[in-house]
Amino acid sequence: MPKSAIDRLNASKQPHVVSPIPPGFPGAATASSMVVSSPREVDALIRRIPPGRLATLDELRAHLARRHGAEIACPVSTAIFVNVAAQAAEEFVAMGEEAITPYWRVLRPGGRLNAKYPGGVKAQRVRLEAEGHTVVQRRRDLVVEGYEAALCTMEEVER
């Protein structure tokens, strides 16, 4: 039986820094050290984003790199861990939990919504609009209008 997202979230993986980055790996051409975080660490960061505020996946990655003294955070694993946090949050909702990880506050670069979140961009849009954000169509993407004004840094939310 496959593991649930909650199981994957609670796996005992620990963040670690890879240096040097193997050739051909994302980021290897621009950096010499990369942190591979953990689902729990990423989930904990997302939980700190307050209502009405937003963060981008790039900001999460930059913060993780700074936190661990690496040049970059792995783009692949960080995106996977954000999705694990999102799926686990929805599993908790199905179990009757109300205080879940607000994954919908994490946007793709350029303020774009994430089609890989549970329920896709439609569900993310509903949650963002319920928090006062305006979502608009730009070309083929849904984006939060004026998202820059609502962005917060991870250092800001950790204070």
Side-chain angles (χ1 to χ4, degrees):
M1 176 175 238
K3 287 185 177 183
S4 70
I6 294 171
D7 291 337
R8 292 192 317 264
L9 178 68
N10 291 321
S12 61
K13 294 180 182 178
Q14 295 299 313
H16 61 280
V17 175
V18 176
S19 182
I21 302 171
F25 205 82
T30 59
S32 62
S33 65
M34 172 179 68
V35 65
V36 178
S37 185
S38 71
R40 277 192 282 197
E41 182 178 38
V42 170
D43 184 78
L45 282 176
I46 297 169
R47 283 182 172 270
R48 310 267 332 236
I49 303 169
R53 302 298 302 275
L54 303 168
T56 63
L57 185 55
D58 289 343
E59 170 58 24
L60 287 178
R61 289 183 48 236
H63 177 74
L64 290 166
R66 289 188 297 270
R67 176 187 271 184
H68 293 282
E71 291 179 63
I72 63 170
C74 178
V76 175
S77 64
T78 305
I80 290 169
F81 298 155
V82 169
N83 286 330
V84 166
Q87 293 165 0
E90 292 303 326
E91 286 179 10
F92 282 122
V93 166
M95 295 166 50
E97 296 286 328
E98 292 182 13
I100 63 166
T101 301
Y103 64 88
W104 56 90
R105 296 178 188 150
V106 179
L107 304 175
R108 294 178 60 218
R112 293 177 293 151
L113 276 56
N114 191 337
K116 293 184 179 181
Y117 284 162
V121 294
K122 290 179 183 178
Q124 186 180 14
R125 179 182 198 162
V126 167
R127 286 196 155 139
L128 288 168
E129 288 177 341
E131 292 187 355
H133 300 288
T134 302
V135 176
V136 297
Q137 185 85 38
R138 294 245 169 88
R139 297 186 188 122
R140 292 194 289 177
D141 294 316
L142 289 176
V143 300
V144 175
E145 187 172 56
Y147 75 96
E148 299 93 341
L151 289 177
C152 60
T153 66
M154 295 298 99
E155 282 80 7
E156 177 184 338
V157 299
E158 285 194 324
R159 286 185 207 141

